[in-house]
Amino acid sequence: MLGFSSHGSQLSHFTLSGIPDLDNLNFWLGFPLVLLYIMAVLGNLSIIYIIKVDQALHKPMYIFLLMLSAVELLIATTTMPKMLAIFWLDSRRITFDTCLTQMFWIHFLPAVESGILTAMAVDRYVAISHPLKYPSILTNQTIIKITFVIMVRGATAVIPLPLLLKRFPLWKSNLLTHSYCLHQEAMKLACGNITVNVIIGLVIVFTVMGNDSLFIFFSYLLIIKTVVFLKEESSLKAFSTCTAHICAVLIYYIPLINASVSHRVQYGSIPNLPILFSNAYLLIPPVINPLIYGIKTKQIRERLIKLFSNIKCAGLV
């Protein structure tokens, strides 16, 4: 690790960490991590494959699910391999530019995921509240436009983060306490005024995740208002189509809130809590969401069973 004077030094690389105070367990922690990665890859690839090859699933709800699985596959691949290299190979060094690149993807992909979850909430609202207009509202062209807006919004919001860090010539330290590069941690190591970085970070949280959570909340208020006036059997059937999405939203936003709060509150008795919450925010959704949609969505569940039955039969031949 480079030596740093009290006045700072130029920086060529960052040094990543495993889980502080648990370095002696890093090798063993790598095994559940690689299991999580395998589950994330297999689960999300299965969802993508099933939706891609089954023409009956080429509907807005499943197209958004395909996009969600693709994003979560990228999130897992952006973070987990480097974490495994740290835990198993003690490969902690990451160049400055590589760190900024990883930082962009780590912040961009969750912003895209948040947008997709919002689009899925709107899709459920239109399908339940305006079923006759649903095919004419959520056309393929509309889905393409929504996807374009989500991507551009995420990129526009996140691109300033690495650029703002690149402007600092001197740094107090190069040691990061996480296993990946986060803007909110890296900016605290810079020598200089980080007020702009703090403001931009907060603006992203409130304008992207904050606005999306409000859209999702109001979408479900309108869905509940519609469902209340349906017959009991129809209302249960209508709302059952939302259960997987509600679970996905909770799995995304609860770790996000915990991670955001933990980075701004001091936990003297549990100093590793912010790191654990950040890991959960990035690592849990890619693993859990395919399981939720596989269990809660009848069409996906049936095709998953058929897919794995075919794989099993092929292996026995």
Side-chain angles (χ1 to χ4, degrees):
M1 179 173 156
L2 292 178
F4 285 82
S5 69
S6 59
H7 300 292
S9 175
Q10 291 184 338
L11 192 65
S12 62
H13 71 275
F14 284 104
T15 300
L16 301 172
S17 303
I19 298 180
D21 303 325
L22 295 177
D23 288 343
N24 58 322
L25 298 177
N26 276 354
F27 177 78
W28 301 108
L29 290 173
F31 288 100
L33 183 65
V34 75
L35 179 62
L36 288 175
Y37 184 52
I38 292 171
M39 290 174 62
V41 170
L42 292 179
N44 287 291
L45 281 179
S46 297
I47 297 290
I48 292 170
Y49 174 78
I50 288 170
I51 296 173
K52 182 176 174 58
V53 300
D54 193 331
Q55 293 290 329
L57 298 181
H58 290 185
K59 300 175 182 178
M61 173 183 174
Y62 300 108
I63 293 173
F64 286 131
L65 176 56
L66 183 149
M67 292 164 54
L68 182 67
S69 294
V71 168
E72 290 184 335
L73 184 61
L74 290 173
I75 290 175
T77 302
T78 300
T79 54
M80 291 193 189
K82 183 60 181 178
M83 292 179 70
L84 284 171
I86 293 170
F87 290 153
W88 280 349
L89 304 176
D90 200 33
S91 175
R92 300 171 182 267
R93 178 170 174 153
I94 183 170
T95 66
F96 184 77
D97 288 337
T98 303
C99 184
L100 294 186
T101 301
Q102 187 192 51
M103 181 186 300
F104 168 81
W105 289 108
I106 283 176
H107 291 285
F108 169 70
L109 292 171
V112 172
E113 181 176 3
S114 178
I116 294 171
L117 289 172
T118 305
M120 295 173 80
V122 174
D123 167 79
R124 290 299 82 207
Y125 161 68
V126 176
I128 293 171
S129 300
H130 304 283
L132 297 179
K133 296 181 180 179
Y134 180 71
S136 61
I137 293 176
L138 282 166
T139 62
N140 288 337
Q141 289 296 321
T142 303
I143 294 173
I144 291 172
K145 290 176 182 178
I146 291 173
T147 304
F148 178 77
V149 170
I150 290 172
M151 300 291 286
V152 171
R153 184 193 68 162
T156 303
V158 174
I159 283 175
L161 297 182
L163 295 180
L164 286 170
L165 288 179
K166 204 169 178 65
R167 68 192 172 100
F168 292 109
L170 300 177
W171 295 75
K172 304 169 190 174
S173 171
N174 71 341
L175 179 62
L176 297 173
T177 58
H178 289 72
S179 305
Y180 40 79
C181 298
L182 290 175
H183 173 259
Q184 57 264 41
E185 181 182 18
M187 69 179 183
K188 296 177 183 178
L189 302 180
C191 294
N193 190 336
I194 62 171
T195 302
V196 175
N197 299 68
V198 173
I199 292 173
I200 293 295
L202 290 174
V203 167
I204 291 172
V205 171
F206 285 111
T207 58
V208 177
M209 285 71 167
N211 282 339
D212 287 349
S213 63
L214 287 177
F215 268 104
I216 293 171
F217 176 74
F218 284 115
S219 294
Y220 275 100
L221 280 183
L222 295 172
I223 288 172
I224 292 171
K225 180 181 177 182
T226 301
V227 167
V228 166
F229 293 101
L230 296 175
K231 294 179 181 179
E232 183 177 354
E233 183 178 346
S234 300
S235 64
L236 290 174
K237 184 178 179 181
F239 205 73
S240 67
T241 65
C242 303
T243 54
H245 178 255
I246 292 172
C247 292
V249 169
L250 293 176
I251 288 171
Y252 175 84
Y253 279 100
I254 290 175
L256 169 63
I257 293 169
N258 287 335
S260 298
V261 171
S262 66
H263 276 94
R264 291 166 174 80
V265 177
Q266 295 297 323
Y267 291 92
S269 60
I270 315 177
N272 288 334
L273 201 59
I275 298 171
L276 295 175
F277 279 140
S278 295
N279 287 342
Y281 166 56
L282 288 175
L283 304 182
I284 298 302
V287 176
I288 299 298
N289 280 341
L291 297 176
I292 289 174
Y293 278 97
I295 294 170
K296 292 290 186 180
T297 307
K298 180 181 178 182
Q299 294 86 339
I300 298 292
R301 182 173 66 249
E302 290 175 348
R303 285 158 180 79
L304 275 173
I305 293 172
K306 184 178 179 181
L307 174 64
F308 286 112
S309 296
N310 291 339
I311 293 174
K312 184 178 179 180
C313 291
L316 294 174
V317 174

